[in-house]
Amino acid sequence: MTNRLRGVIAPVLTPFDDSLEPDVGRFIAHSRWLVENHAGLAIFGTNSEAASLSVGERLSLTEALVEGGVPAAKLMPGTGACALPDAVELTRHASRIGAAGVLVLPPFYFKGVSDDGVFAYYAQIIERVGSGCAPLYLYHIPQMSQVPITLGLIERLLKRYPRTIAGAKDSSGDWNNAKAMIDNFAASGFDVFPASESLLLQALPIGGAGCISATVNMNPAGIQRVFEGWQSAEGPALQARADTVRTIFQATPMIPAMKHVVSHFSCHAPWRRVRPPLVALDDAAGRDVLAQLDAAGFDMPGYPR
């Protein structure tokens, strides 16, 4: 685990065509733009609409990215699934292509499961994939999964699989939880990524690894400047500018809002499409988001059209 992803990582948006099939060309173009702006790629995260993508779609989109020139070393595919064989297949595939890591949700359909059950799920993935398993990042998003990644579970997994368990994404929204992960495990090489760039100035000084944030899709360069400049005199101002952009998106359904804005900057209206049960942003709400962003001086320079 010598070439781990650190810094600014995007849970990459998934564009859809008129038939609600993944638009492979625009997926590659969006991913390339993110990489050009120094972002890593957590493809098939929550904001990728991963729960609406089949295993086959995830596999083929991953292959398309690599064949399209996106370095596998920039990828952290989401490989969690309720069905253990699906999680194993996705993790094995990501490991085989040389992904920098895999981001693995617990089996989110099953509520009230014990740490023993969640430990067994992760252990089965690691054991079945075998010695070539990519570095594995635990995905803590209890408000959605209802299956928390506890400190005790992390400790057990690190003790059993110190060469494979690499870190966690904390999407709980609870800074105290992210801080506890960092305080307890970062010194041993466990990389903790809060799910918002707004926490960078709190996380980085105590050993945080960066952030895996939805709005990296929109503002990769601005968030990267926070990561690189947090220790400088300009750090607080860089953080404040990034926070302004995030606040605008957080005030409305984020996935439809981000897709609406990408459709504007790409001059490609179909970018607005989401898969049901999500619903695209209506025109009035979209105009309001764009007006707020314009007032904030937001831009997506070099975005492919």
Side-chain angles (χ1 to χ4, degrees), residues 20-40:
L20 289 182
E21 297 298 316
D23 186 330
V24 177
R26 293 188 184 276
F27 183 65
I28 294 171
H30 182 64
S31 297
R32 283 177 170 171
W33 179 76
L34 290 169
V35 170
E36 288 166 3
N37 284 277
H38 309 292

Side-chain angles (χ1 to χ4, degrees), residues 40 51 63 73 130 164 192 205:
E63 294 280 355
T164 305
V192 179

Side-chain angles (χ1 to χ4, degrees), residues 7-11 42 76 103 168-169 171 193-196 210-214 216:
V8 173
I9 301 174
M76 185 192 288
L103 182 60
K169 177 185 179 184
S171 290
F193 295 87
S196 171
C211 67
I212 303 175
S213 169
V216 175

Side-chain angles (χ1 to χ4, degrees), residues 3-5 41 43 62 66 71-79 90-103 132-137:
N3 296 310
R4 292 193 193 176
L5 281 176
L41 307 177
I43 54 175
T62 305
V66 175
K74 299 291 287 186
L75 300 180
M76 185 192 288
T79 64
L90 290 163
T91 303
R92 182 180 289 125
H93 178 265
S95 302
R96 191 179 71 244
I97 67 166
V102 289
L103 182 60
C133 187
L136 191 150
Y137 296 82

Side-chain angles (χ1 to χ4, degrees), residues 110-120 147-148 153 156:
F110 302 92
K111 308 301 186 286
V113 296
S114 66
D115 273 8
D116 288 343
V118 183
F119 178 89
V147 182
L153 175 64
R156 288 178 64 184

